[in-house]
Amino acid sequence: MKRSLIWPFSWLPIALVAGGFCLGLLLVLKVALPLAVLAGLLLVALVWAFFHGSQLGQFWGKRSTRSGANTLGLTLVLLALLAAVNVLAVRYSTRWDLSENQLFTLSPQTQQVLRDLKQPIKIWAFNSDTNPNLRRRLEQYQRVNPRQVQYEIVDPKAKPDLARRLEFTQEQPLVIESGEQRRSFASLSESELTSNIVQITRNRQTSLAVLQGHGERSFDAPTQDGLSQAAAALGREGYNLTPLNLITSKAVPSGTDLLLLAGPRQPLLAGEVAALQAYLKQGGKLLLLAEPSTNPGLDALLKPYGVQLQPNLVIDVAGAQLAGGGPDIPIVTQFPPHPITREFANSGVIFAHSRSLTLTEVPAIEAQPLLQSTAQSWGEKDYTQTLEFTPGRDLQGPLNLAVAISQQTGNNAPRPQLVVFGSVDFAADAFFGNSRNGDLLLNAANWLTRSDDLLTIRPKEPKNRRLVLNGGQQNAVAIVSLVLLPLLGFLAAGWLWWQRR
């Protein structure tokens, strides 16, 4: 056949490939036309191969052709492997969080709250800009329970009716909706987001009365020995803190879910103790934070439950060596099995300035230690002098630092329950954020109020890890990175050239 009749078949495949590719891009959903073009390509290629069979044989016999075919084959295999890896990564995504406090992994509390959701929730995020952190955070929540958690990022200017219905404001651009319930909030931090989910799914707040009038620690002012961080954390867990003065109210108000005594320094009056006894007999819940060197006058209240506050200060040299603190700051790393501390494995509690507690067996009373000091510790009664163990006067460790108590009742009557801590400083602002101190206080409150779904470890906020350099250090870094390292590279290259010239 004449060459003039064959040459169009040499160019048609290239033209058809280009045409099919372009049509494939433009008509993604209409695949019939690109497939027809590709079928035409195959037909033309077969016609070309029929008239050039001898040339094809010579072509495949060349060494360069075989080498190129091997390279092309290896490239296709590599591309196929990369495609397979990407497909597997999309279908079975796995992440490794290597940060110190697992900042990019949802805490056990958040995961438990999401898994236990009984009704669907939807998180609306009003944001006009593309914020990858916002989407990543919401995807984390949805991934735990995709059936009950939905989210949508909305531009308030594009959907003004929706923004008006959800009462969007610039100060609170996040909204959680669950049935008829709705909550707006500002921060996308894990603690804030999880706290709002807990509160909207509970449908009510827990009443927490805080006894006052005996020199108790302040919940308002953020001071080293204050309890402002504890108050804020309890609020995020759904507790409504209200002050209580038994001298004026005469009794604990009905509907009080939990009563908190945060380090009373003066003895309670007999009438106040009687009011507390009546509250407990009705199935009340008491959270007591006692501190050494005080006499709160609670012996008559605690004795029926087998608890006695010892007038001493726990000294633990082993704990001081472990954390670099003083001997009056025990570090607890071993926890007897109890729901309050079941998630505390491989962690610790800094239980600063504590007195010891002794337990006595009482019928129908179930008492269990929560925290204990080491065997090397002791309860120092005279801690104004040199700290040393005196046999016959001081108590030898291990000593109880915190106990949980339940009274058995019949006929399904509410059970009186107490959690007694020998320290109040562990929950103070100076120590609340350290180790599991905050989790310990919150778990104790949740155990008393039967909020078992919240007995876990809470999210940690990121630490400031900035490296601050002075002027000389900044210049040194600039000289090393911009001058010395490139110069070393040039010198090494010159030396190699000199060796191989």
Side-chain angles (χ1 to χ4, degrees):
M1 185 175 287
K2 293 182 178 179
R3 184 180 182 85
S4 58
L5 296 177
I6 297 175
W7 75 266
F9 293 99
S10 303
W11 294 99
L12 267 177
I14 299 175
L16 290 173
V17 168
F21 180 74
C22 294
L23 289 173
L25 291 178
L26 295 174
L27 306 171
V28 176
L29 299 179
K30 300 177 181 179
V31 296
L33 187 57
L35 288 177
V37 174
L38 292 175
L41 160 67
L42 180 61
L43 178 62
V44 173
L46 291 175
V47 171
W48 187 90
F50 177 77
F51 291 105
H52 294 76
S54 59
Q55 296 180 12
L56 278 177
Q58 296 175 2
F59 174 75
W60 289 110
K62 293 180 179 179
R63 182 178 180 182
S64 59
T65 303
R66 293 196 299 270
S67 176
N70 290 334
T71 304
L72 179 61
L74 291 175
T75 303
L76 292 177
V77 170
L78 179 60
L79 291 176
L81 289 175
L82 291 176
V85 169
N86 278 276
V87 170
L88 293 176
V90 171
R91 291 190 177 183
Y92 310 99
S93 62
T94 302
R95 297 182 177 185
W96 291 275
D97 187 352
L98 303 180
S99 59
E100 178 184 5
N101 292 327
Q102 299 293 293
L103 295 178
F104 304 104
T105 302
L106 295 179
S107 68
Q109 183 202 27
T110 297
Q111 297 185 36
Q112 184 172 344
V113 167
L114 295 175
R115 283 194 293 266
D116 293 344
L117 285 175
K118 301 295 189 301
Q119 55 186 0
I121 64 170
K122 183 160 186 176
I123 306 171
W124 300 90
F126 289 94
N127 195 304
S128 303
D129 304 324
T130 303
N131 185 347
N133 293 329
L134 172 65
R135 185 173 298 278
R136 179 180 58 82
R137 172 68 78 190
L138 296 176
E139 285 177 348
Q140 280 183 310
Y141 276 69
Q142 188 185 41
R143 194 178 298 116
V144 177
N145 191 348
R147 295 183 60 186
Q148 301 286 31
V149 180
Q150 300 294 323
Y151 77 88
E152 186 171 345
I153 301 175
V154 180
D155 183 352
K157 296 179 181 177
K159 295 185 177 180
D161 293 339
L162 179 63
R164 195 177 304 110
R165 182 180 73 81
L166 296 177
E167 300 177 352
F168 156 73
T169 62
Q170 293 289 348
E171 292 76 20
Q172 294 183 326
L174 299 166
V175 180
I176 295 180
E177 222 178 9
S178 177
E180 300 297 327
Q181 303 291 325
R182 184 187 308 153
R183 291 184 65 87
S184 301
F185 54 102
S187 172
L188 194 65
S189 66
E190 185 183 349
S191 59
E192 187 80 10
L193 186 51
T194 303
S195 171
N196 279 280
I197 293 175
V198 169
Q199 294 184 37
I200 199 172
T201 52
R202 276 188 169 187
N203 292 327
R204 78 176 189 89
Q205 286 198 319
T206 305
S207 173
L208 195 162
V210 182
L211 188 65
Q212 295 186 342
H214 315 86
E216 288 86 356
R217 300 289 180 94
S218 171
F219 280 84
D220 301 324
T223 59
Q224 290 291 307
D225 60 350
L227 300 173
S228 63
Q229 294 186 28
L234 287 167
R236 288 195 295 270
E237 299 270 321
Y239 289 90
N240 182 24
L241 278 68
T242 55
L244 172 64
N245 191 325
L246 287 175
I247 297 177
T248 56
S249 63
K250 308 298 182 185
V252 179
S254 60
T256 299
D257 297 307
L258 179 62
L259 179 61
L260 172 61
L261 276 67
R265 293 174 179 170
Q266 286 87 42
L268 275 67
L269 301 176
E272 294 176 300
V273 174
L276 296 180
Q277 290 173 328
Y279 170 71
L280 287 175
K281 286 181 179 178
Q282 297 171 359
K285 317 297 180 185
L286 177 63
L287 180 58
L288 170 60
L289 280 64
E291 58 181 331
S293 72
T294 62
N295 178 21
L298 297 174
D299 293 344
L301 177 70
L302 298 178
K303 186 176 180 180
Y305 300 96
V307 184
Q308 185 177 3
L309 304 177
Q310 291 297 328
N312 57 21
L313 177 68
V314 176
I315 304 298
D316 194 341
V317 180
Q321 293 175 348
L322 184 65
D328 56 346
I329 305 180
I331 309 296
V332 181
T333 57
Q334 302 294 327
F335 304 94
H338 193 276
I340 294 177
T341 56
R342 67 185 174 193
E343 302 286 348
F344 286 12
N346 300 321
S347 59
V349 172
I350 303 176
F351 213 70
H353 312 136
S354 175
R355 67 198 307 168
S356 66
L357 313 172
T358 54
L359 292 175
T360 306
E361 290 190 10
V362 176
I365 296 296
E366 180 182 349
Q368 186 173 354
L370 292 177
L371 306 177
Q372 288 184 317
S373 60
T374 65
Q376 294 76 30
S377 65
W378 72 90
E380 178 69 54
K381 284 192 175 180
D382 187 7
Y383 42 86
T384 59
Q385 305 296 324
T386 302
L387 299 178
E388 59 181 3
F389 177 70
T390 303
R393 185 194 66 180
D394 300 328
L395 294 177
Q396 179 66 56
L399 303 171
N400 295 323
L401 306 178
V403 296
I405 301 160
S406 297
Q407 182 177 6
Q408 302 299 325
T409 57
N411 302 325
N412 296 323
R415 297 190 305 169
Q417 288 182 301
L418 304 86
V419 172
V420 182
F421 291 105
S423 167
V424 66
D425 279 339
F426 85 95
D429 291 351
F431 296 97
F432 186 81
N434 294 328
S435 299
R436 298 299 174 201
N437 287 32
D439 292 324
L440 178 63
L441 179 70
L442 298 175
N443 281 3
N446 291 330
W447 180 75
L448 289 169
T449 55
R450 313 297 297 175
S451 303
D452 294 343
D453 55 330
L454 299 180
L455 298 178
T456 184
I457 297 174
R458 287 145 191 88
K460 294 292 185 182
E461 298 299 331
K463 293 182 179 179
N464 187 354
R465 295 293 189 187
R466 293 182 180 179
L467 177 62
V468 180
L469 302 178
N470 56 34
Q473 293 169 332
Q474 293 179 13
N475 292 333
V477 171
I479 292 173
V480 170
S481 59
L482 300 178
V483 179
L484 290 183
L485 290 179
L487 183 60
L488 287 174
F490 283 120
L491 292 175
W495 181 79
L496 286 175
W497 172 80
W498 180 261
Q499 293 295 322
R500 295 179 178 180
R501 64 187 170 85

